[in-house]
Amino acid sequence: MTKARFDELIHPSTRLSLVATLAAADWAEFAFLKDRLALSDSALSKQLTTLEEAGYVATERRLSGSRRKVRARLTDVGREAFNGHIAALQAIVADATAPAAGGSA
Protein backbone atom coordinates (compact mmCIF):
# COMPACT_ATOMS: atom_id res chain seq x y z
CA MET A 1 0.00 0.00 0.00
CA THR A 2 1.23 3.49 -0.83
CA LYS A 3 1.97 5.75 2.13
CA ALA A 4 0.06 9.03 1.84
CA ARG A 5 2.56 11.88 1.65
CA PHE A 6 1.78 15.36 0.38
CA ASP A 7 4.54 16.42 -2.03
CA GLU A 8 5.12 20.16 -2.40
CA LEU A 9 7.27 19.61 -5.51
CA ILE A 10 4.54 17.76 -7.41
CA HIS A 11 1.59 19.79 -6.13
CA PRO A 12 1.68 22.90 -8.41
CA SER A 13 -0.92 22.29 -11.12
CA THR A 14 1.50 22.30 -14.05
CA ARG A 15 3.81 19.75 -12.43
CA LEU A 16 0.90 17.65 -11.18
CA SER A 17 -0.53 17.50 -14.72
CA LEU A 18 2.89 16.65 -16.13
CA VAL A 19 3.55 13.88 -13.60
CA ALA A 20 0.03 12.47 -14.05
CA THR A 21 0.56 12.35 -17.82
CA LEU A 22 3.91 10.61 -17.39
CA ALA A 23 2.39 8.16 -14.89
CA ALA A 24 0.09 6.90 -17.65
CA ALA A 25 2.92 6.17 -20.10
CA ASP A 26 6.22 4.34 -20.31
CA TRP A 27 7.91 7.24 -22.18
CA ALA A 28 6.36 10.44 -23.53
CA GLU A 29 7.77 12.62 -26.30
CA PHE A 30 8.42 16.29 -25.55
CA ALA A 31 6.09 17.40 -28.37
CA PHE A 32 3.26 15.26 -26.99
CA LEU A 33 3.70 16.68 -23.49
CA LYS A 34 3.89 20.23 -24.83
CA ASP A 35 0.62 19.82 -26.75
CA ARG A 36 -1.17 17.86 -24.03
CA LEU A 37 -0.32 20.37 -21.31
CA ALA A 38 -0.50 23.48 -23.53
CA LEU A 39 2.95 24.67 -22.43
CA SER A 40 5.66 26.55 -24.26
CA ASP A 41 8.96 24.81 -24.94
CA SER A 42 10.68 26.82 -22.22
CA ALA A 43 7.95 26.22 -19.61
CA LEU A 44 7.96 22.47 -20.24
CA SER A 45 11.77 22.34 -20.20
CA LYS A 46 11.81 24.16 -16.86
CA GLN A 47 9.29 21.77 -15.30
CA LEU A 48 11.11 18.70 -16.62
CA THR A 49 14.43 20.03 -15.31
CA THR A 50 12.95 20.66 -11.86
CA LEU A 51 11.51 17.14 -11.71
CA GLU A 52 14.69 15.60 -13.12
CA GLU A 53 16.87 17.36 -10.51
CA ALA A 54 14.62 15.86 -7.81
CA GLY A 55 15.06 12.40 -9.32
CA TYR A 56 11.37 12.13 -10.25
CA VAL A 57 11.85 12.18 -14.04
CA ALA A 58 14.42 10.82 -16.45
CA THR A 59 14.89 12.35 -19.88
CA GLU A 60 16.52 10.99 -22.97
CA ARG A 61 17.82 13.14 -25.79
CA ARG A 62 18.38 11.53 -29.18
CA LEU A 63 18.78 12.48 -32.79
CA SER A 64 16.06 11.63 -35.27
CA GLY A 65 17.42 12.58 -38.66
CA SER A 66 18.68 16.11 -38.22
CA ARG A 67 16.34 16.90 -35.31
CA ARG A 68 17.00 16.44 -31.64
CA LYS A 69 14.13 14.73 -29.85
CA VAL A 70 13.54 14.59 -26.13
CA ARG A 71 11.39 12.12 -24.29
CA ALA A 72 10.67 11.71 -20.59
CA ARG A 73 9.49 9.10 -18.14
CA LEU A 74 8.78 8.87 -14.43
CA THR A 75 11.45 7.17 -12.37
CA ASP A 76 10.51 4.70 -9.64
CA VAL A 77 11.11 7.49 -7.11
CA GLY A 78 8.83 9.81 -9.09
CA ARG A 79 6.08 7.21 -9.36
CA GLU A 80 6.28 6.54 -5.61
CA ALA A 81 6.11 10.29 -4.87
CA PHE A 82 3.16 10.72 -7.26
CA ASN A 83 1.26 7.78 -5.74
CA GLY A 84 1.92 9.10 -2.22
CA HIS A 85 0.75 12.58 -3.23
CA ILE A 86 -2.45 11.21 -4.78
CA ALA A 87 -3.09 9.15 -1.62
CA ALA A 88 -2.61 12.30 0.51
CA LEU A 89 -5.03 14.27 -1.68
CA GLN A 90 -7.58 11.45 -1.46
CA ALA A 91 -7.25 11.46 2.35
CA ILE A 92 -7.80 15.21 2.44
CA VAL A 93 -10.94 14.90 0.33
CA ALA A 94 -12.20 11.93 2.37
CA ASP A 95 -11.73 13.88 5.61
CA ALA A 96 -13.51 16.91 4.16
CA THR A 97 -16.50 14.88 2.97
CA ALA A 98 -16.84 12.53 5.96
CA PRO A 99 -19.85 13.18 8.18
CA ALA A 100 -18.95 14.93 11.41
CA ALA A 101 -18.89 12.61 14.40
CA GLY A 102 -21.80 13.03 16.78
CA GLY A 103 -23.76 15.71 15.00
CA SER A 104 -24.51 17.87 12.02
CA ALA A 105 -22.06 20.03 10.20
Side-chain angles (χ1 to χ4, degrees), residues 38-53:
L39 294 173
S40 67
D41 286 357
S42 61
L44 179 55
S45 290
K46 180 180 177 184
Q47 299 306 326
L48 286 171
T49 298
T50 298
L51 292 167
E52 192 168 24
E53 287 173 352

Side-chain angles (χ1 to χ4, degrees), residues 4 7-8 29 37 45 50-51 54 65 80 84 100:
D7 192 303
E8 294 284 347
E29 297 288 334
L37 303 172
S45 290
T50 298
L51 292 167
E80 185 178 321

Side-chain angles (χ1 to χ4, degrees), residues 10 25 42 52 56 61 70 76 94:
I10 293 175
S42 61
E52 192 168 24
Y56 288 5
R61 289 154 180 80
V70 176
D76 291 341

Side-chain angles (χ1 to χ4, degrees), residues 62-98:
R62 56 194 163 80
L63 284 176
S64 178
S66 62
R67 301 189 76 193
R68 188 183 86 182
K69 291 201 172 194
V70 176
R71 66 182 190 159
R73 70 171 177 82
L74 274 184
T75 62
D76 291 341
V77 171
R79 190 168 302 280
E80 185 178 321
F82 175 68
N83 290 337
H85 188 69
I86 295 304
L89 292 175
Q90 289 171 333
I92 291 167
V93 171
D95 287 348
T97 59

Side-chain angles (χ1 to χ4, degrees), residues 13-33:
S13 62
T14 300
R15 277 192 224 126
L16 183 57
S17 297
L18 174 55
V19 172
T21 301
L22 291 172
D26 185 26
W27 286 92
E29 297 288 334
F30 188 92
F32 170 79
L33 294 170

